[in-house]
Amino acid sequence: MHDKPLLPALAFVIGTATLTVTSTAIAADETRCFNGYGYTLDSNEYRYTEHHEQHFAGDTLRSWDVTYVGRTGDTIATKHLAFKASDTVPTYRLEIPADGYVEGIRHNGDRWTMFRRESADAEEQTKDFTIEPPMAADSGFDRLVRQQFDKLTAGKTVPFKFAAAGRQAVIDLRARQTGTTTFEGKPAVVFTAELDMFLVNFFVDSLKLTYDADSKRLLEYRGIGNMHDENGKVYPVRVSYTRDMPDEARQAGAPAATCAAAS
């Protein structure tokens, strides 16, 4: 089976879970790093590790790098995001070298453009869009959840728009709290993001995200994934942002959850 990330914006691979501060000498400039471990939702089979490195200036997230490592320990994709123009709609570029697949968002002045290239030989597709708050794109969804956390935990439904570069579309979603649970022995809340026709098209009822009730860290994601199966289709996944690396990920050569571990 050939795993490759596709449409990570749809999968909301977005966590700020298990943040490990590795450069604290200068509070205004630090990097925080963590891993996410991806499994098939139906058979709980390990597929990949996401290695995240977030770069902060004080409390402001400036940029975010993600390295996707497959089951053979090889890097299968990379993503760079920048939050200069918006806290929740980053500019970004995802690259999958094996296929020549590229997607992302560009910003120039008042113009926002999502782009996608299916292969190295394909023409780039683009679509301009405007920011209509509340709005998110790719990993900026996590920032949006944090901004709306109090409303969500108070029982309110939060509608928002999502710029999905991989689909070349702006999608209407709504998020709400649907339960509570525990994760690694600590209280957690479960949020559900729904959009009727969009989710029906992917044969999944909803996207479920588990957050730490106190720190507002993403702990787990369940829903449509960002990988291809052997038929070239995305499939439902569970991505867990655990503090300890699972044995199966370690055996597959996953990078440590420390900064620069995937370089």
Side-chain angles (χ1 to χ4, degrees):
M1 179 179 293
H2 174 55
D3 292 337
K4 63 178 181 179
L6 177 71
L7 314 183
L10 304 181
F12 306 136
V13 181
I14 50 169
T16 53
T18 316
L19 300 183
T20 302
V21 177
T22 60
S23 176
T24 58
I26 303 176
D29 186 7
E30 68 178 28
T31 301
R32 306 175 185 178
C33 303
F34 60 96
N35 282 353
Y37 306 100
Y39 300 79
T40 57
L41 190 59
D42 54 354
S43 59
N44 200 38
E45 179 184 1
Y46 171 75
R47 289 295 179 83
Y48 60 91
T49 289
E50 310 159 0
H51 179 72
H52 298 254
E53 297 196 5
Q54 296 177 318
H55 310 286
F56 283 81
D59 294 329
T60 302
L61 176 62
R62 295 300 189 188
S63 63
W64 190 334
D65 291 289
V66 186
T67 303
Y68 298 85
V69 179
R71 291 179 290 181
T72 62
D74 296 330
T75 297
I76 55 178
T78 59
K79 183 171 61 174
H80 175 76
L81 308 97
F83 292 81
K84 182 178 181 180
S86 172
D87 291 338
T88 60
V89 182
T91 57
Y92 79 94
R93 182 180 179 89
L94 166 77
E95 297 187 63
I96 307 172
D99 300 332
Y101 181 87
V102 176
E103 73 166 52
I105 290 175
R106 292 189 287 260
H107 173 240
N108 184 12
D110 295 330
R111 184 177 184 181
W112 289 83
T113 304
M114 58 181 75
F115 60 90
R116 177 182 65 187
R117 189 187 69 195
E118 291 291 349
S119 67
D121 298 328
E123 293 186 3
E124 183 182 79
Q125 298 173 287
T126 62
K127 180 180 178 63
D128 289 348
F129 67 98
T130 58
I131 293 184
E132 303 175 41
M135 188 174 190
D138 202 82
S139 300
F141 180 64
D142 178 66
R143 315 305 292 177
L144 181 65
V145 170
R146 287 166 171 264
Q147 291 176 4
Q148 304 291 333
F149 205 87
D150 291 343
K151 289 184 179 179
L152 291 167
T153 54
K156 296 183 179 179
T157 296
V158 176
F160 64 98
K161 294 184 179 296
F162 192 86
R167 298 296 295 176
Q168 293 285 281
V170 174
I171 301 163
D172 290 318
L173 289 167
R174 58 180 183 270
R176 60 191 175 91
Q177 182 178 340
T178 53
T180 59
T181 186
T182 58
F183 188 92
E184 296 184 320
K186 295 186 62 178
V189 293
V190 179
F191 300 135
T192 298
E194 300 173 317
L195 177 61
D196 295 339
M197 292 307 298
F198 172 69
L199 296 177
V200 168
N201 288 340
F202 284 101
F203 306 102
V204 61
D205 293 331
S206 61
L207 311 175
K208 295 187 182 300
L209 304 102
T210 301
Y211 275 78
D212 184 283
D214 296 322
S215 66
K216 303 178 183 179
R217 293 184 294 109
L218 178 67
L219 303 174
E220 187 174 80
Y221 164 83
R222 292 174 180 257
I224 193 65
N226 60 358
M227 294 286 183
H228 266 169
D229 61 17
E230 63 274 16
N231 299 313
K233 304 295 185 181
V234 292
Y235 55 90
V237 296
R238 173 178 64 86
V239 181
S240 292
Y241 300 89
T242 55
R243 296 187 181 279
D244 296 324
M245 181 182 293
D247 290 340
E248 54 269 28
R250 184 177 296 104
Q251 294 167 5
T258 55
C259 294
S263 63

Coordinates of all heavy atoms in Angstrom, one line a residue, residues 127-196:
K127 N -7.8 29.1 -7.1 CA -9.2 29.7 -6.8 C -9.0 30.8 -5.8 O -8.4 30.6 -4.7 CB -10.1 28.6 -6.3 CG -11.5 29.2 -5.9 CD -12.4 28.1 -5.4 CE -13.8 28.6 -5.0 NZ -14.5 29.2 -6.2
D128 N -9.4 32.0 -6.2 CA -9.3 33.1 -5.2 C -10.5 33.0 -4.2 O -11.6 32.5 -4.6 CB -9.4 34.4 -6.0 CG -8.1 34.7 -6.7 OD1 -7.1 34.0 -6.5 OD2 -8.1 35.7 -7.6
F129 N -10.3 33.5 -3.0 CA -11.3 33.6 -2.0 C -11.1 34.8 -1.1 O -10.0 35.4 -1.1 CB -11.4 32.3 -1.2 CG -10.1 32.0 -0.4 CD1 -10.2 32.3 1.0 CD2 -9.0 31.5 -0.9 CE1 -9.1 32.1 1.8 CE2 -7.9 31.2 -0.1 CZ -7.9 31.6 1.3
T130 N -12.1 35.1 -0.4 CA -12.0 36.2 0.6 C -12.2 35.6 2.0 O -12.9 34.6 2.2 CB -13.1 37.3 0.3 OG1 -14.4 36.6 0.4 CG2 -12.9 37.9 -1.0
I131 N -11.6 36.3 3.0 CA -11.7 35.8 4.4 C -13.0 36.4 4.9 O -13.2 37.6 4.9 CB -10.5 36.3 5.2 CG1 -9.2 35.5 4.7 CG2 -10.7 36.0 6.7 CD1 -8.0 35.8 5.5
E132 N -13.8 35.5 5.5 CA -15.1 35.9 6.1 C -15.1 35.3 7.5 O -15.6 34.2 7.7 CB -16.3 35.4 5.2 CG -16.2 35.9 3.8 CD -17.4 35.3 3.0 OE1 -18.5 35.2 3.5 OE2 -17.1 34.9 1.8
P133 N -14.6 36.0 8.5 CA -14.6 35.5 9.9 C -16.0 35.1 10.4 O -17.0 35.7 10.0 CB -14.0 36.7 10.7 CG -13.3 37.5 9.7 CD -14.1 37.4 8.4
P134 N -16.0 34.0 11.2 CA -14.9 33.2 11.6 C -14.6 32.2 10.4 O -15.5 31.6 9.8 CB -15.4 32.4 12.8 CG -16.9 32.4 12.6 CD -17.3 33.7 11.9
M135 N -13.3 32.1 10.1 CA -12.9 31.3 9.0 C -11.5 30.6 9.4 O -10.7 31.2 10.1 CB -12.7 32.1 7.8 CG -12.4 31.4 6.5 SD -12.5 32.5 5.0 CE -12.5 31.3 3.7
A136 N -11.3 29.4 8.8 CA -10.0 28.7 9.1 C -9.6 28.0 7.8 O -10.3 27.9 6.9 CB -10.2 27.7 10.2
A137 N -8.3 27.6 7.8 CA -7.8 26.8 6.7 C -6.7 25.9 7.3 O -5.9 26.4 8.2 CB -7.2 27.7 5.6
D138 N -6.6 24.7 6.9 CA -5.6 23.8 7.3 C -5.5 23.8 8.8 O -6.4 23.8 9.6 CB -4.3 24.0 6.6 CG -3.4 22.8 6.6 OD1 -3.6 21.9 5.7 OD2 -2.6 22.7 7.4
S139 N -4.2 23.9 9.3 CA -4.0 23.9 10.7 C -4.5 25.1 11.5 O -4.5 25.1 12.7 CB -2.5 23.7 11.0 OG -2.0 22.5 10.4
G140 N -4.9 26.1 10.8 CA -5.5 27.2 11.5 C -6.8 26.9 12.2 O -7.3 27.7 13.0
F141 N -7.4 25.7 11.8 CA -8.6 25.3 12.5 C -8.4 25.1 14.0 O -9.3 25.4 14.8 CB -9.1 24.0 11.9 CG -10.3 23.4 12.5 CD1 -11.5 24.1 12.4 CD2 -10.3 22.2 13.2 CE1 -12.7 23.6 13.0 CE2 -11.5 21.7 13.8 CZ -12.7 22.4 13.7
D142 N -7.2 24.7 14.4 CA -6.9 24.5 15.8 C -6.9 25.9 16.5 O -7.4 26.0 17.6 CB -5.5 23.9 16.0 CG -5.1 23.8 17.5 OD1 -5.8 23.1 18.2 OD2 -4.2 24.5 17.9
R143 N -6.4 26.9 15.8 CA -6.4 28.3 16.4 C -7.8 28.8 16.6 O -8.2 29.4 17.5 CB -5.6 29.2 15.5 CG -4.2 28.7 15.1 CD -3.4 28.3 16.2 NE -2.9 29.4 17.1 CZ -2.2 29.2 18.2 NH1 -1.8 28.0 18.5 NH2 -1.8 30.3 18.9
L144 N -8.7 28.4 15.6 CA -10.1 28.8 15.7 C -10.8 28.2 16.8 O -11.5 28.8 17.6 CB -10.8 28.5 14.3 CG -12.3 28.9 14.3 CD1 -12.4 30.4 14.3 CD2 -12.9 28.3 13.0
V145 N -10.5 26.9 17.0 CA -11.2 26.2 18.1 C -10.7 26.8 19.4 O -11.6 27.0 20.3 CB -10.8 24.7 18.1 CG1 -11.2 24.0 19.4 CG2 -11.4 24.0 16.9
R146 N -9.5 27.2 19.6 CA -9.0 27.8 20.8 C -9.7 29.1 21.0 O -10.0 29.5 22.2 CB -7.5 28.0 20.7 CG -6.7 26.7 20.9 CD -5.2 26.9 20.5 NE -4.5 25.7 20.9 CZ -3.8 25.6 22.0 NH1 -3.7 26.6 22.9 NH2 -3.1 24.5 22.2
Q147 N -9.9 29.9 20.0 CA -10.6 31.2 20.1 C -12.0 31.0 20.5 O -12.6 31.9 21.2 CB -10.5 31.9 18.8 CG -9.1 32.4 18.4 CD -9.1 33.1 17.0 OE1 -10.1 33.2 16.4 NE2 -7.9 33.5 16.6
Q148 N -12.6 29.9 20.1 CA -14.1 29.7 20.3 C -14.3 28.7 21.4 O -15.4 28.3 21.7 CB -14.7 29.2 19.0 CG -14.6 30.1 17.8 CD -15.4 31.4 18.0 OE1 -16.4 31.5 18.7 NE2 -14.9 32.4 17.3
F149 N -13.3 28.3 22.2 CA -13.3 27.3 23.2 C -14.4 27.5 24.2 O -15.2 26.6 24.5 CB -12.0 27.1 23.8 CG -11.7 25.7 24.4 CD1 -11.2 24.7 23.6 CD2 -12.0 25.4 25.7 CE1 -10.9 23.4 24.1 CE2 -11.8 24.1 26.2 CZ -11.2 23.1 25.4
D150 N -14.5 28.7 24.7 CA -15.4 29.0 25.8 C -16.9 28.9 25.3 O -17.7 28.4 26.0 CB -15.2 30.4 26.4 CG -13.9 30.4 27.2 OD1 -13.4 29.4 27.6 OD2 -13.4 31.6 27.4
K151 N -17.1 29.3 24.1 CA -18.4 29.2 23.5 C -18.8 27.8 23.3 O -19.9 27.3 23.6 CB -18.5 30.0 22.1 CG -18.5 31.5 22.2 CD -18.6 32.1 20.9 CE -18.6 33.6 20.9 NZ -18.8 34.2 19.6
L152 N -17.9 27.0 22.8 CA -18.1 25.6 22.5 C -18.4 24.8 23.8 O -19.4 24.0 23.9 CB -16.9 24.9 21.8 CG -16.7 25.4 20.4 CD1 -15.4 24.9 19.9 CD2 -17.8 24.8 19.5
T153 N -17.6 25.0 24.9 CA -17.8 24.3 26.1 C -19.1 24.9 26.9 O -19.5 24.2 27.8 CB -16.6 24.4 27.0 OG1 -16.2 25.8 27.2 CG2 -15.4 23.7 26.4
A154 N -19.6 26.0 26.5 CA -20.8 26.6 27.1 C -22.0 26.0 26.4 O -23.2 26.4 26.7 CB -20.8 28.1 27.0
G155 N -21.8 25.1 25.4 CA -23.0 24.5 24.7 C -23.4 25.2 23.4 O -24.4 24.8 22.9
K156 N -22.7 26.2 23.0 CA -23.1 26.9 21.8 C -22.5 26.2 20.5 O -21.5 25.6 20.5 CB -22.6 28.3 21.8 CG -23.2 29.2 22.9 CD -22.8 30.6 22.9 CE -23.4 31.4 24.0 NZ -22.9 32.8 24.0
T157 N -23.3 26.3 19.4 CA -22.8 25.8 18.1 C -22.1 27.0 17.4 O -22.7 28.1 17.3 CB -24.0 25.3 17.3 OG1 -24.6 24.2 17.9 CG2 -23.5 24.9 15.9
V158 N -21.0 26.7 16.9 CA -20.2 27.8 16.2 C -20.1 27.5 14.7 O -19.4 26.5 14.3 CB -18.8 27.9 16.8 CG1 -17.9 28.9 16.1 CG2 -18.8 28.2 18.3
P159 N -20.8 28.2 13.9 CA -20.6 28.1 12.4 C -19.3 28.8 12.0 O -19.0 29.8 12.5 CB -21.9 28.7 11.9 CG -22.2 29.8 12.9 CD -21.8 29.2 14.2
F160 N -18.7 28.2 10.9 CA -17.5 28.9 10.4 C -17.3 28.4 9.0 O -17.8 27.4 8.6 CB -16.3 28.6 11.3 CG -15.9 27.2 11.3 CD1 -14.9 26.7 10.5 CD2 -16.5 26.3 12.2 CE1 -14.5 25.4 10.6 CE2 -16.1 25.0 12.3 CZ -15.1 24.5 11.5
K161 N -16.4 29.1 8.3 CA -16.1 28.7 6.9 C -14.7 28.1 6.9 O -13.8 28.5 7.7 CB -16.1 30.0 6.0 CG -17.5 30.5 5.8 CD -17.6 31.6 4.8 CE -19.0 32.1 4.6 NZ -19.9 31.1 4.0
F162 N -14.4 27.2 6.0 CA -13.2 26.5 5.9 C -12.7 26.5 4.5 O -13.3 26.1 3.6 CB -13.3 25.1 6.4 CG -12.0 24.4 6.6 CD1 -11.3 24.5 7.8 CD2 -11.4 23.6 5.6 CE1 -10.1 23.9 8.0 CE2 -10.2 23.0 5.8 CZ -9.5 23.1 7.0
A163 N -11.5 27.1 4.3 CA -10.9 27.2 3.0 C -10.1 25.9 2.7 O -9.0 25.7 3.3 CB -10.0 28.4 2.8
A164 N -10.6 25.0 1.9 CA -10.0 23.7 1.6 C -9.3 23.7 0.3 O -9.9 23.6 -0.8 CB -11.0 22.6 1.7
A165 N -8.0 24.0 0.3 CA -7.2 24.1 -0.9 C -7.2 22.8 -1.7 O -7.3 22.8 -3.0 CB -5.8 24.5 -0.6
G166 N -7.2 21.7 -1.0 CA -7.2 20.4 -1.7 C -8.5 20.1 -2.5 O -8.5 19.3 -3.4
R167 N -9.6 20.8 -2.1 CA -10.9 20.7 -2.8 C -11.2 21.9 -3.6 O -12.2 21.9 -4.3 CB -12.0 20.5 -1.8 CG -11.9 19.3 -0.9 CD -12.0 18.0 -1.7 NE -13.3 17.9 -2.3 CZ -13.6 16.9 -3.1 NH1 -12.7 16.0 -3.4 NH2 -14.8 16.8 -3.6
Q168 N -10.3 23.0 -3.6 CA -10.5 24.2 -4.3 C -11.9 24.7 -4.0 O -12.7 25.1 -4.9 CB -10.4 24.0 -5.8 CG -8.9 23.6 -6.2 CD -8.0 24.8 -6.2 OE1 -8.1 25.6 -7.1 NE2 -7.2 25.0 -5.2
A169 N -12.2 24.8 -2.7 CA -13.5 25.3 -2.3 C -13.5 25.9 -0.9 O -12.6 25.5 -0.1 CB -14.5 24.1 -2.3
V170 N -14.5 26.8 -0.6 CA -14.7 27.3 0.7 C -16.0 26.6 1.2 O -17.0 26.6 0.6 CB -14.9 28.8 0.8 CG1 -15.3 29.3 2.1 CG2 -13.6 29.5 0.3
I171 N -15.8 25.9 2.4 CA -16.9 25.0 2.9 C -17.5 25.6 4.2 O -16.8 26.1 5.0 CB -16.3 23.6 3.2 CG1 -15.7 23.1 1.9 CG2 -17.3 22.7 3.7 CD1 -14.7 21.9 2.1
D172 N -18.8 25.5 4.3 CA -19.5 25.9 5.6 C -19.5 24.7 6.5 O -20.0 23.6 6.2 CB -20.9 26.3 5.3 CG -20.9 27.6 4.5 OD1 -20.1 28.5 4.9 OD2 -21.7 27.8 3.6
L173 N -19.0 24.9 7.7 CA -19.0 23.9 8.8 C -19.6 24.4 10.0 O -19.8 25.7 10.2 CB -17.5 23.4 9.1 CG -16.8 22.6 8.1 CD1 -15.3 22.5 8.4 CD2 -17.4 21.2 8.0
R174 N -19.9 23.6 11.0 CA -20.4 24.0 12.3 C -19.8 23.1 13.3 O -19.7 21.9 13.1 CB -21.9 24.0 12.3 CG -22.6 22.7 12.1 CD -24.1 22.8 12.1 NE -24.8 21.5 11.9 CZ -25.1 21.0 10.7 NH1 -24.9 21.8 9.7 NH2 -25.7 19.9 10.6
A175 N -19.4 23.7 14.4 CA -18.7 22.9 15.5 C -19.5 23.0 16.8 O -20.1 24.1 17.0 CB -17.3 23.3 15.7
R176 N -19.6 21.9 17.6 CA -20.2 22.0 18.9 C -19.6 20.9 19.8 O -19.0 20.0 19.3 CB -21.7 21.7 18.7 CG -22.1 20.4 18.1 CD -23.6 20.3 17.7 NE -23.9 19.1 17.0 CZ -24.3 18.0 17.6 NH1 -24.5 18.0 18.9 NH2 -24.5 16.9 16.9
Q177 N -19.8 21.1 21.1 CA -19.4 20.1 22.0 C -20.4 18.9 22.1 O -21.6 19.2 22.2 CB -19.2 20.6 23.4 CG -18.6 19.6 24.4 CD -18.4 20.1 25.8 OE1 -18.2 21.3 26.0 NE2 -18.3 19.2 26.8
T178 N -19.9 17.7 22.0 CA -20.8 16.6 22.0 C -20.6 15.6 23.1 O -21.2 14.5 23.1 CB -20.8 15.8 20.6 OG1 -19.4 15.5 20.3 CG2 -21.3 16.7 19.5
G179 N -19.6 15.9 24.0 CA -19.4 15.0 25.1 C -18.2 15.3 25.9 O -17.5 16.3 25.6
T180 N -17.9 14.5 26.9 CA -16.7 14.6 27.7 C -16.1 13.2 27.8 O -16.8 12.2 27.6 CB -17.0 15.1 29.1 OG1 -17.9 14.2 29.7 CG2 -17.5 16.5 29.0
T181 N -14.8 13.1 28.1 CA -14.1 11.9 28.2 C -12.9 12.0 29.0 O -12.7 13.1 29.6 CB -13.8 11.3 26.8 OG1 -13.3 10.0 26.9 CG2 -12.8 12.2 26.0
T182 N -12.0 11.0 29.0 CA -10.7 11.2 29.6 C -9.7 10.7 28.6 O -9.9 9.9 27.7 CB -10.5 10.3 30.9 OG1 -10.8 8.9 30.6 CG2 -11.5 10.8 32.0
F183 N -8.5 11.3 28.6 CA -7.4 11.0 27.7 C -6.1 11.0 28.5 O -5.8 12.0 29.1 CB -7.3 12.0 26.6 CG -6.4 11.6 25.5 CD1 -6.8 10.9 24.4 CD2 -5.0 12.0 25.6 CE1 -5.9 10.6 23.3 CE2 -4.1 11.6 24.6 CZ -4.6 11.0 23.4
E184 N -5.5 9.8 28.6 CA -4.3 9.7 29.4 C -4.5 10.1 30.8 O -3.7 10.7 31.5 CB -3.1 10.4 28.8 CG -2.7 9.9 27.4 CD -1.4 10.6 26.9 OE1 -1.3 11.8 27.0 OE2 -0.6 9.9 26.3
G185 N -5.7 9.7 31.3 CA -6.1 10.0 32.7 C -6.5 11.4 33.0 O -6.8 11.6 34.2
K186 N -6.7 12.2 32.1 CA -7.1 13.6 32.4 C -8.4 13.9 31.7 O -8.7 13.4 30.6 CB -6.0 14.6 31.9 CG -4.7 14.5 32.6 CD -3.7 15.6 32.1 CE -4.3 17.0 32.5 NZ -3.3 18.0 32.1
P187 N -9.2 14.9 32.3 CA -10.5 15.2 31.7 C -10.3 15.8 30.3 O -9.3 16.6 30.0 CB -11.0 16.3 32.7 CG -10.3 16.0 33.9 CD -9.0 15.6 33.6
A188 N -11.2 15.5 29.4 CA -11.1 16.0 28.0 C -12.6 16.3 27.5 O -13.5 15.7 28.0 CB -10.4 15.1 27.1
V189 N -12.7 17.2 26.5 CA -13.9 17.5 25.9 C -13.9 17.0 24.5 O -12.8 17.0 23.8 CB -14.3 19.0 26.0 CG1 -14.5 19.3 27.5 CG2 -13.2 19.8 25.4
V190 N -15.1 16.6 23.9 CA -15.2 16.2 22.6 C -16.0 17.1 21.8 O -17.1 17.5 22.1 CB -15.8 14.8 22.5 CG1 -15.9 14.3 21.0 CG2 -15.0 13.8 23.3
F191 N -15.4 17.7 20.7 CA -16.1 18.5 19.8 C -16.4 17.8 18.5 O -15.6 17.0 18.0 CB -15.3 19.8 19.5 CG -14.9 20.6 20.7 CD1 -13.6 21.1 20.8 CD2 -15.9 20.9 21.6 CE1 -13.3 21.9 22.0 CE2 -15.6 21.7 22.8 CZ -14.3 22.2 22.9
T192 N -17.5 18.1 17.8 CA -17.9 17.6 16.6 C -18.0 18.7 15.5 O -18.7 19.7 15.8 CB -19.2 16.8 16.7 OG1 -19.0 15.7 17.6 CG2 -19.6 16.2 15.3
A193 N -17.4 18.5 14.4 CA -17.6 19.4 13.2 C -18.4 18.7 12.2 O -18.1 17.6 11.8 CB -16.2 19.9 12.7
E194 N -19.4 19.4 11.7 CA -20.4 18.7 10.8 C -20.6 19.6 9.6 O -20.7 20.8 9.7 CB -21.7 18.4 11.5 CG -21.6 17.5 12.7 CD -22.9 17.4 13.4 OE1 -23.5 18.5 13.6 OE2 -23.2 16.3 13.8
L195 N -20.9 19.0 8.5 CA -21.4 19.7 7.3 C -22.1 18.6 6.5 O -21.4 17.7 6.0 CB -20.3 20.3 6.5 CG -20.8 21.0 5.2 CD1 -21.8 22.1 5.5 CD2 -19.6 21.5 4.4
D196 N -23.4 18.7 6.3 CA -24.2 17.6 5.8 C -23.6 17.0 4.5 O -23.1 15.9 4.4 CB -25.6 18.1 5.5 CG -26.3 18.4 6.9 OD1 -25.8 17.9 7.9 OD2 -27.2 19.2 6.9

